Each structure stands twice: as structure tokens, then as C-alpha cells.
Amino acid sequence: SVEHGVFSSNFAGELDLKTSITDWLMGFSDEKDVTYVRSFLGRMLFAGDDALKNLNVLSGGEKVRVMLSKLMLEGPNVLILDEPTNHLDMESITALNNALIRFPSTLLITSHDYQIVASTVNRVIVFNNDGTITDYLGTMDEFMATSNKA
């Protein structure tokens, strides 16, 4: 069975702003251990007491990192990501990129961030302006080299 995790660029309604990051994420963890949940937050750069912040005081980038932590906790075998690097600083983008490179299953991603796409995909699907679809089996760099020759 496919268990999918979705990161939508419009996720604001999903967060319970009245609670702390850790308490909110505990609801998505099969392992009801605060240390376990905080380890996922640590991977998304919430160190120490940062994990105890209330969701209502977080910046846009911090909220993105919380949502990505939620996805990691849920452990899906398919990730669908819509512009996951929006609102992230360089350190957070690097942490996300490293996590996506290690993701063992299917990743569907739409992004304007060339680096994250170039380092994670092995198939490129382009929806062209004329209504056609270009389906290229290979990396983004290979696709770009091929399409630049045309």
C-alpha cells in the first residue's frame, strides 16, 4: 500500500497554533517519546529549547521546517512536495536537500530551486506551454544538457 506524505505550499491551516512544536508533532508520531520526536526536530535545525516554542511565534521558514519534520515522523513511502524550499534559509535548504537525497522511496517535487531538483531527481516531467508533456528519464543536469542541444 502507498502511504504518501504531502507538503503543500499552502499548509497554514494544518498547524494548531495554540500548542508547542513538540506537543503538536507528538500527535503524528507512532513512537510516543518526546526524545524521539525531538530528534526529528533536531534534523530540521530545532535545537534545545527551540523545540518547545509555540507554533504561533514561528517564522514562515520555521513553520516549513515543522511541516517537514511531520513528514519525516509519518514515514511515508511517497513524498509529494510543492515548493518545499520557499521561506527556508540556506542552512535549512541544505538540511532538507540532504534528507531528500537519503529518502529511499518515491519523491514527486515541484520547485524553482534548481539545486534541490538537480540533486534529488532521476526523472524530469515537463508540462509544456503548448499542452504537451516531456518525460525524460535521467537527472536534471542531463535533461538540461539534452534540451539545450535542441
Side-chain angles (χ1 to χ4, degrees), residues 125-137:
I125 300 172
V126 179
F127 297 90
N128 301 302
N129 290 336
D130 64 3
T132 62
I133 295 174
T134 302
D135 187 354
Y136 181 82
L137 193 56

Side-chain angles (χ1 to χ4, degrees), residues 42-58:
R43 290 182 209 157
M44 289 311 304
L45 310 176
F46 287 103
D49 288 343
D50 286 347
L52 303 176
K53 287 181 179 179
N54 264 16
L55 290 165
N56 65 339
V57 300
L58 300 182

Side-chain angles (χ1 to χ4, degrees), residues 74-131:
E74 292 174 325
N77 59 16
V78 175
L79 285 179
I80 303 169
L81 306 176
D82 178 17
E83 296 292 348
T85 59
N86 284 2
H87 309 292
L88 294 181
D89 60 22
M90 286 306 297
E91 187 177 18
S92 299
I93 291 171
T94 300
L96 172 62
N97 196 27
N98 290 336
L100 293 177
I101 289 169
R102 289 189 308 271
F103 185 67
S105 296
T106 302
L107 170 66
L108 298 172
I109 185 169
T110 178
S111 181
H112 289 93
D113 185 323
Y114 182 84
Q115 183 58 43
I116 203 136
V117 172
S119 63
T120 58
V121 305
N122 59 12
R123 182 176 183 181
V124 178
I125 300 172
V126 179
F127 297 90
N128 301 302
N129 290 336
D130 64 3

